[in-house]
mmCIF file of all heavy atoms in Angstrom:
data_model
loop_
_atom_site.group_PDB
_atom_site.id
_atom_site.type_symbol
_atom_site.label_atom_id
_atom_site.label_comp_id
_atom_site.label_asym_id
_atom_site.label_seq_id
_atom_site.Cartn_x
_atom_site.Cartn_y
_atom_site.Cartn_z
ATOM 1 N N TRP A 29 198.519 247.462 112.126
ATOM 2 C CA TRP A 29 198.544 246.292 111.226
ATOM 3 C C TRP A 29 199.799 246.436 110.314
ATOM 4 O O TRP A 29 200.487 245.413 110.109
ATOM 5 C CB TRP A 29 197.196 246.308 110.476
ATOM 6 C CG TRP A 29 197.063 245.138 109.620
ATOM 7 C CD1 TRP A 29 196.422 243.972 109.920
ATOM 8 C CD2 TRP A 29 197.541 245.018 108.247
ATOM 9 N NE1 TRP A 29 196.414 242.953 108.800
ATOM 10 C CE2 TRP A 29 197.024 243.708 107.795
ATOM 11 C CE3 TRP A 29 198.237 245.814 107.337
ATOM 12 C CZ2 TRP A 29 197.367 243.217 106.552
ATOM 13 C CZ3 TRP A 29 198.602 245.433 106.038
ATOM 14 C CH2 TRP A 29 198.176 244.059 105.838
ATOM 15 N N GLY A 40 198.735 249.973 105.642
ATOM 16 C CA GLY A 40 197.544 249.629 106.507
ATOM 17 C C GLY A 40 196.287 250.143 106.044
ATOM 18 O O GLY A 40 195.170 249.570 106.166
ATOM 19 N N MET A 84 193.576 260.877 101.306
ATOM 20 C CA MET A 84 192.735 261.538 100.316
ATOM 21 C C MET A 84 192.747 260.826 98.949
ATOM 22 O O MET A 84 191.628 260.735 98.421
ATOM 23 C CB MET A 84 193.216 262.997 100.117
ATOM 24 C CG MET A 84 193.021 263.908 101.520
ATOM 25 S SD MET A 84 191.315 263.889 101.988
ATOM 26 C CE MET A 84 191.628 263.863 103.841
ATOM 27 N N ARG A 113 186.772 271.365 103.422
ATOM 28 C CA ARG A 113 188.170 271.383 103.471
ATOM 29 C C ARG A 113 188.815 270.483 102.431
ATOM 30 O O ARG A 113 189.817 270.326 102.305
ATOM 31 C CB ARG A 113 188.620 271.058 104.800
ATOM 32 C CG ARG A 113 189.749 271.799 105.356
ATOM 33 C CD ARG A 113 190.209 271.605 106.633
ATOM 34 N NE ARG A 113 191.622 271.542 106.650
ATOM 35 C CZ ARG A 113 192.386 271.275 107.859
ATOM 36 N NH1 ARG A 113 191.820 271.280 108.936
ATOM 37 N NH2 ARG A 113 193.693 271.263 107.807
ATOM 38 N N LEU A 121 183.306 264.032 93.232
ATOM 39 C CA LEU A 121 183.025 262.562 93.400
ATOM 40 C C LEU A 121 182.073 262.243 94.291
ATOM 41 O O LEU A 121 181.220 261.286 94.156
ATOM 42 C CB LEU A 121 184.368 261.833 93.457
ATOM 43 C CG LEU A 121 185.295 261.738 92.374
ATOM 44 C CD1 LEU A 121 186.654 261.263 92.807
ATOM 45 C CD2 LEU A 121 184.756 260.714 91.292
ATOM 46 N N TRP A 215 191.493 246.824 112.642
ATOM 47 C CA TRP A 215 190.530 246.926 111.439
ATOM 48 C C TRP A 215 190.746 246.132 110.168
ATOM 49 O O TRP A 215 189.843 245.277 109.698
ATOM 50 C CB TRP A 215 190.227 248.421 111.056
ATOM 51 C CG TRP A 215 189.332 248.468 109.905
ATOM 52 C CD1 TRP A 215 189.685 248.795 108.634
ATOM 53 C CD2 TRP A 215 187.901 248.154 109.781
ATOM 54 N NE1 TRP A 215 188.589 248.756 107.840
ATOM 55 C CE2 TRP A 215 187.550 248.350 108.475
ATOM 56 C CE3 TRP A 215 187.006 247.773 110.676
ATOM 57 C CZ2 TRP A 215 186.325 248.052 108.158
ATOM 58 C CZ3 TRP A 215 185.661 247.537 110.331
ATOM 59 C CH2 TRP A 215 185.327 247.678 108.956
ATOM 60 N N ALA A 228 176.470 238.857 117.834
ATOM 61 C CA ALA A 228 175.969 237.906 118.878
ATOM 62 C C ALA A 228 176.081 238.547 120.207
ATOM 63 O O ALA A 228 175.155 238.429 121.044
ATOM 64 C CB ALA A 228 176.906 236.701 118.844
#
Side-chain angles (χ1 to χ4, degrees):
W29 183 93
M84 295 300 143
R113 223 176 135 178
L121 283 166
W215 173 252

